[in-house]
Amino acid sequence: MSMEKGQPPEGVELLPIKADGSPITPNLYDPHQYRNVPNPTSTLGTFVHVMKSALGIGILSVPYAFKNGGLLFGVFGAFFFAMLCSHSAHILVHTSYKICKKERIPVLGFAETVEKACSYGSSGVRVLGTVLRNVIDWYLMLTTVVVFIVFVGTTLREVVNFRAGLDWSDRTYILLVGVPILLITQIREIKYLVPFSAIAGFLIMANIVISLVFIFQEPLSLENRRMLPTASTVAPYMGIVYFALDATCLIFPLENQMRHPQHYLGCPGIVNVNYVCLAVLYSFFGAVGYIRYGDDVASSIILNFPTENVFVSTIQVLSALAVLFSVGLIFYVPTEIAWKKLHTKVPKEWSGLAQSGLRLSVLALNMAAACGIPHLGTFMGLLGAVLNPILALWIPLVVDTAYRWPDDFGRLRWRLVKNFVLCCFGLFLLVTGTISSVNNIIALYQ
């Protein structure tokens, strides 16, 4: 029986071919060289995105976190959680790279990496991998920008109504901010969102600088300032700082779109430099804010500033604009995953129109929810408290353990022990975060 020209015999797998026609053996295959990214992001652009993804207006709550954690534990915790976020990113991306190299695949996403890593385990683990892939995909697709839209609209309402003497409703402002959000969310490439992340980062830094002006108006004193947390305050501290630093859902979308993905990890590497900078910034701002206001520091330090001062309104407007310019990056993840599932069903000539329609439809749903569901942010906080420890900590540990099983854990199986300890810590975060969010919901309706 004759074979078609160029087809290998049954059971024989052809190796990838270099440009010169020579085959590439599996151990020499570099997935980074075989990625086909039409509009790759530069190393600097990716750093800007990574910095912005983990630096949000949540930093204005860090002084309140230090009130719960104390100065000494607060600084230590900021560096610990920054290292933990960096470690999770390294686990996921490095494992994905090793799988791509072994199976000669150019690139894998978050959910695909989890499924592939679990495929190296037993049948039960393989089933778990399939389940986790579906859960991750659906969770990321259902990630909404509702809370951010509500924040921008209500913040602008407070400032404009107060300064201009107007009486416009929240819904009016939400619909008004929907116009620029509509334009921003139609940007499909991460590369073209870099300027928006840069502007958002600049606005947040401006907020911090203005806040520091208020903080340093009077001499700082350590008198009656707590150094360590109590048993009841350690969990609120961890919840604020850890969730402010976490940006797990953007790890793969950013790394997969890089022109030089080898710059993402390693030393110094984008991830490491980013989290060192954030740890220093969070530690400094949280410490001086708590030292300045002590136990009177509010949940957002803006609330400690005199409301009649025009700079307070400036901080509020800058916060709203920073979130507004961040919406495009947040919106990218769910729409990209949804499009990957839908694009095969759309004719190529209708691709551009279909993508625009998908983005418009998703935004319309978010706008409708923002206008129609009161106190949605509180319930989204509960969802984040439950799912974030799973997504940001447990799943990276599952990926690392499943891929290394059974013999690749190092001397005395220290990596397995480390993963178990961190898994227990994730359980602690999940339980305490859930309890705190449920208490907030109960207080809301009392």
Side-chain angles (χ1 to χ4, degrees):
M1 182 176 63
S2 62
M3 293 184 296
E4 295 182 12
K5 185 177 180 180
Q7 294 295 319
E10 183 177 355
V12 175
E13 181 182 8
L14 292 180
L15 297 177
I17 302 298
K18 297 180 182 177
D20 61 5
S22 58
I24 303 173
T25 56
N27 61 334
L28 296 178
Y29 179 84
D30 185 359
H32 293 162
Q33 297 180 10
Y34 292 88
R35 291 186 177 180
N36 182 20
V37 182
N39 295 293
T41 311
S42 67
T43 299
L44 178 60
T46 304
F47 179 80
V48 170
H49 275 320
V50 173
M51 177 66 75
K52 175 58 204 72
S53 64
L55 176 62
I57 57 172
I59 192 173
L60 299 176
S61 299
V62 173
Y64 179 77
F66 271 62
K67 168 189 172 181
N68 291 303
L71 289 173
L72 186 62
F73 186 82
V75 172
F76 168 79
F79 278 89
F80 170 77
F81 283 117
M83 291 173 56
L84 189 60
C85 291
S86 177
H87 181 60
S88 295
H90 276 74
I91 286 177
L92 288 171
V93 176
H94 189 57
T95 304
S96 178
Y97 176 81
K98 290 189 291 185
I99 294 173
C100 287
K101 187 172 184 177
K102 178 180 289 188
E103 300 194 9
R104 302 196 292 281
I105 302 171
V107 66
L108 288 172
F110 187 3
E112 297 164 328
T113 296
V114 175
E115 185 178 39
K116 285 283 187 181
C118 291
S119 70
Y120 290 91
S122 62
S123 58
V125 175
R126 290 195 293 272
V127 172
L128 175 64
T130 302
V131 172
L132 288 178
R133 172 175 181 164
N134 292 327
V135 169
I136 292 170
D137 270 346
W138 279 104
Y139 171 70
L140 294 180
M141 277 196 295
L142 294 174
T143 299
T144 67
V145 294
V146 175
V147 177
F148 303 95
I149 295 172
V150 171
F151 175 83
V152 176
T154 55
T155 301
L156 292 178
R157 176 190 59 79
E158 291 177 9
V159 177
V160 177
N161 282 4
F162 175 72
R163 294 292 173 182
L166 300 176
D167 191 27
W168 293 0
S169 67
D170 287 343
R171 290 184 176 88
T172 301
Y173 285 95
I174 287 173
L175 292 174
L176 288 175
V177 300
V179 176
I181 290 176
L182 172 63
L183 301 177
I184 294 172
T185 53
Q186 285 298 321
I187 299 174
R188 304 171 193 168
E189 302 287 348
I190 279 186
K191 175 182 179 179
Y192 302 124
L193 289 171
V194 171
F196 295 90
S197 290
I199 293 172
F202 174 78
L203 295 175
I204 292 172
M205 292 304 298
N207 264 357
I208 295 171
V209 170
I210 297 173
S211 299
L212 290 175
V213 171
F214 282 103
I215 290 171
F216 284 104
Q217 280 182 340
E218 298 179 9
L220 302 183
S221 172
L222 291 175
E223 185 178 358
N224 298 325
R225 299 301 184 257
R226 186 184 299 123
M227 292 291 129
L228 297 172
T230 64
S232 61
T233 60
V234 64
Y237 165 83
M238 291 181 176
I240 294 172
V241 176
Y242 181 49
F243 295 128
L245 287 167
D246 175 52
T248 304
C249 64
L250 287 167
I251 289 175
F252 282 98
L254 295 177
E255 193 269 346
N256 289 345
Q257 293 291 320
M258 288 186 68
R259 179 177 292 114
H260 302 291
Q262 61 271 21
H263 296 168
Y264 196 68
L265 302 182
C267 185
I270 289 175
V271 172
N272 287 338
V273 173
N274 170 72
Y275 278 111
V276 168
C277 293
L278 289 176
V280 172
L281 181 60
Y282 274 56
S283 297
F284 174 73
F285 188 73
V288 297
Y290 171 56
I291 292 172
R292 171 68 175 85
Y293 294 104
D295 289 340
D296 293 328
V297 67
S299 56
S300 175
I301 199 168
I302 298 177
L303 301 176
N304 290 105
F305 305 152
T307 55
E308 68 277 2
N309 193 305
V310 68
F311 283 110
V312 175
S313 296
T314 302
I315 293 176
Q316 291 176 299
V317 172
L318 292 178
S319 297
L321 292 177
V323 173
L324 178 65
F325 283 107
S326 304
V327 165
L329 186 60
I330 301 164
F331 197 78
Y332 175 86
V333 177
T335 51
E336 184 68 10
I337 293 174
W339 177 246
K340 285 183 178 179
K341 292 181 177 295
L342 294 174
H343 79 279
T344 55
K345 302 175 183 178
V346 178
K348 190 174 181 179
E349 61 271 17
W350 292 96
S351 177
L353 186 61
Q355 286 193 62
S356 297
L358 171 65
R359 289 172 172 271
L360 181 60
S361 301
V362 173
L363 178 60
L365 290 174
N366 280 271
M367 292 293 296
C371 290
I373 305 177
H375 311 304
L376 182 64
T378 305
F379 293 95
M380 292 298 293
L382 174 61
L383 183 65
V386 173
L387 293 179
N388 276 5
I390 298 174
L391 193 73
L393 193 53
W394 278 359
I395 287 181
L397 297 176
V398 168
V399 166
D400 187 55
T401 303
Y403 184 79
R404 293 180 181 277
W405 192 269
D407 301 319
D408 189 22
F409 293 104
R411 180 171 297 185
L412 300 178
R413 302 173 75 81
W414 70 269
R415 286 191 177 90
L416 185 61
V417 174
K418 179 263 297 179
N419 288 352
F420 176 76
V421 172
L422 290 180
C423 191
C424 293
F425 181 65
L427 178 62
F428 171 77
L429 291 175
L430 187 151
V431 172
T432 55
T434 302
I435 292 174
S436 176
S437 297
V438 169
N439 288 336
N440 289 338
I441 294 174
I442 293 174
L444 181 67
Y445 288 98
Q446 280 183 340

